[in-house]
Amino acid sequence: MREIVLDTETTGLDPLAGHRVVEVGCIELFNTVATGKTFHAYFNPQMIMPVGAQDIHGLTDEFLADKPLFADRVDEFLAFVGDAQLVIHNAQFDIGFLNAELERAGKPVLTNAYIDTVSMARRKMPGQRVSLDALCERFGIDNSSRTKHGALLDSELLAEVYIELIGGKQAALVLEAVAVQMNGNGEVADIDISIGARPIALPPRLSETDRAAHAGLVTTLGEKALWLKVATAG
């Protein structure tokens, strides 16, 4: 299963008030393993950066002045994301900003299924802090380089947090999550992506020679051997 862990940095909190996306960072996962493929870009927001936002991510007007507009790289962004499921911390915030930018660029809004790791963490750890820093601390993930928010770095950290939230390195064996699909009207519907029973059993990996060799070994272990009891029970 292909997933994109995604984060944005912006000029403020509300795209409807004219605030803009200034950075997007994406990490590709395949079956919960990072592939090494990323998308990362800074954008000129065509507005003065508010002091409060600059304090959070450190992106200045001078730094962003020569960066492309979102519309200049929108096709590259959409091609990277494709139809993959998105993994986002506080998903409504980032998706709201990205959809506002897509509409400005004359592109359809995102309809990808997504997992909100804030909601997931709150379900798994009621009453606990669920900020990215708090989750990194809880799971022992090194976030010492996160002196400021940064979309690519935060996506890398979130990918590690997400893997822990779905069961750590054995997540593929126990994955049970609920994704959310948005339609063109902005409505949402639950999608069950839990892993069900294997439809076709795997073929046996032991040959008859292997079985015969094992049976021969068991006969040398004596009458009280555990393997004899297992064989009899079977």
Side-chain angles (χ1 to χ4, degrees), residues 181-204:
Q181 178 75 43
M182 295 187 301
N183 61 28
N185 297 322
E187 299 170 344
V188 297
D190 288 341
I191 300 173
D192 184 1
I193 61 168
S194 59
I195 296 176
R198 184 181 295 278
I200 301 175
L202 291 175

Side-chain angles (χ1 to χ4, degrees), residues 6 10 17-18 36 53 62 78 92 94 122 147 167 171 196 206 212 223-224:
L6 182 152
T10 68
E62 292 74 19
L78 290 174
Q92 290 293 332
D94 298 86
R122 284 174 176 162
T147 56
L206 293 177
E223 295 181 356
K224 295 184 179 181

Side-chain angles (χ1 to χ4, degrees), residues 11-12 19 44-51 53-54 59-61 64:
T11 64
H19 291 294
N44 184 335
Q46 298 180 294
M47 63 177 292
I48 300 299
M49 181 67 69
V51 174
Q54 183 175 317
L59 300 177
T60 65
D61 295 325
L64 297 171

Side-chain angles (χ1 to χ4, degrees), residues 58-127:
L59 300 177
T60 65
D61 295 325
E62 292 74 19
F63 175 80
L64 297 171
D66 62 349
K67 301 302 182 287
L69 304 181
F70 185 91
D72 294 334
R73 299 196 63 183
V74 64
D75 290 332
E76 184 182 353
F77 166 70
L78 290 174
F80 183 84
V81 171
D83 61 357
Q85 178 169 274
L86 306 180
V87 179
I88 308 174
H89 206 59
N90 192 16
Q92 290 293 332
F93 178 88
D94 298 86
I95 289 174
F97 266 96
L98 288 170
N99 282 344
E101 294 290 353
L102 288 168
E103 289 179 341
R104 287 190 187 96
K107 301 292 184 179
V109 298
L110 294 172
T111 58
N112 301 57
Y114 68 85
I115 288 177
D116 183 354
T117 48
V118 169
S119 298
M120 179 183 288
R122 284 174 176 162
R123 288 196 302 270
K124 295 179 74 72
M125 299 171 288

Side-chain angles (χ1 to χ4, degrees), residues 7 67 136 163 178:
D7 186 54
K67 301 302 182 287
C136 285
I163 290 170
V178 175

Side-chain angles (χ1 to χ4, degrees), residues 31-34 159-160 163-174:
N31 291 338
T32 70
V33 176
E160 295 188 59
I163 290 170
E164 294 297 333
L165 285 171
I166 61 175
K169 301 306 180 183
Q170 300 300 317
L173 301 178
V174 296

